[in-house]
Amino acid sequence: MLIPTRSEAPQIVPPKPLSRTELPPVERGERAGTGFFVDDSGHMLTARHVVQDCSRIVIQKEGRTTSARVIALSTPYDLALLRTAKTRGLAAVFPRNVTSSPNDMMFAADYANLPMMLARGGVLANASVGMTSGSGEAGHIALNSTVTFGSSGAPVMDSRGLIEGVVSRKTSVNRVLAVGSAGAKSFLAASNIRFQEDDRPQIAGSGSRAHRAASISARIICLN
């Protein structure tokens, strides 16, 4: 069941500043990725390959560390649903109607790189929508992007601060596939998650998408 449409304008909440404290390095035998909160009850969305077959999952955000467990894994898409004790920061908002098209500017980043982006004043966009090809890319959006290691599971954000996709994998040096918001929303709905939908902006017109990403996302560590 989805949250009903609200008549009032969405409240644009200033994001909490992201701590610039360096995150600990990933040790041998560990995997690192990014995830983001999808409700106010501690549920997070990330890429399935980041958390599959982990003996323990650790969430790092704003200098705090907590554990998480896998609630559900998507069969058709590279998606996983996690549960933590509480939501830290803000929950993501998905668009009711997908409007992205080729050449639209987007934002996606590894959580570990966000402090540096914020130190420079934030980032409006760092990727653009490309063309998908073949049935193997159905349900995905292609991005022209140079996202780095650790970006798997990161939210793909449009100019309104809405989630258009979830980073899945690189297909070439500058091309990334992300699971589209339609697939992500279907997965969450099937898992009985009450996620938020709205077509109205969640950030100011000149607001930094890097700041919004910092408010909803966290680093995920898979311990083997």
Side-chain angles (χ1 to χ4, degrees):
M1 179 177 180
L2 307 184
I3 292 179
T5 304
R6 298 178 180 174
S7 58
E8 70 272 13
Q11 182 181 8
I12 299 177
V13 182
K16 295 180 180 180
L18 184 67
S19 171
R20 292 183 62 187
T21 302
E22 289 188 5
L23 293 168
V26 177
E27 301 293 338
R28 184 176 181 179
E30 297 179 357
R31 294 198 302 271
T34 300
F36 58 98
F37 291 101
V38 293
D39 65 9
D40 295 323
S41 301
H43 289 102
M44 298 185 73
L45 195 60
T46 188
R48 183 183 60 213
H49 73 265
V50 171
V51 297
Q52 200 161 21
D53 301 322
C54 301
S55 60
R56 185 182 172 211
I57 300 170
V58 174
I59 308 299
Q60 297 173 339
K61 183 177 176 69
E62 293 293 340
R64 299 178 180 178
T65 299
T66 187
S67 60
R69 58 190 177 92
V70 176
I71 298 297
L73 297 173
S74 173
T75 300
Y77 297 117
D78 182 22
L79 295 173
L81 178 66
L82 307 181
R83 178 71 184 271
T84 66
K86 63 182 293 186
T87 294
R88 296 193 179 278
L90 303 176
V93 180
F94 292 84
R96 291 188 179 279
N97 301 294
V98 177
T99 59
S100 61
S101 57
N103 300 318
D104 282 354
M105 299 305 295
M106 297 285 174
F107 177 85
D110 171 13
Y111 180 81
N113 282 329
L114 286 173
M116 182 173 59
M117 293 181 178
L118 299 186
R120 297 198 301 260
V123 177
L124 292 176
N126 62 357
S128 63
V129 178
M131 299 291 293
T132 55
S133 61
S135 59
E137 296 187 356
H140 295 75
I141 57 174
L143 297 175
N144 300 312
S145 171
T146 57
V147 292
T148 57
F149 170 80
S151 299
S152 294
V156 177
M157 199 172 300
D158 65 16
S159 61
R160 300 167 294 176
L162 301 175
I163 306 304
E164 295 284 354
V166 183
V167 173
S168 177
R169 64 186 187 276
K170 278 192 172 187
T171 60
S172 64
V173 175
N174 295 319
R175 186 174 186 271
V176 174
L177 276 184
V179 178
S181 62
K185 291 193 294 182
S186 294
F187 174 54
L188 292 174
S191 301
N192 297 314
I193 302 301
R194 292 172 57 87
F195 58 87
Q196 299 181 60
E197 286 186 290
D198 206 323
D199 284 331
R200 294 167 294 183
Q202 304 300 306
I203 55 177
S206 59
S208 163
R209 278 172 263 188
H211 280 83
R212 177 71 180 178
S215 71
I216 67 173
S217 60
R219 193 189 201 202
I220 296 178
I221 301 294
C222 167
L223 305 176
N224 295 319

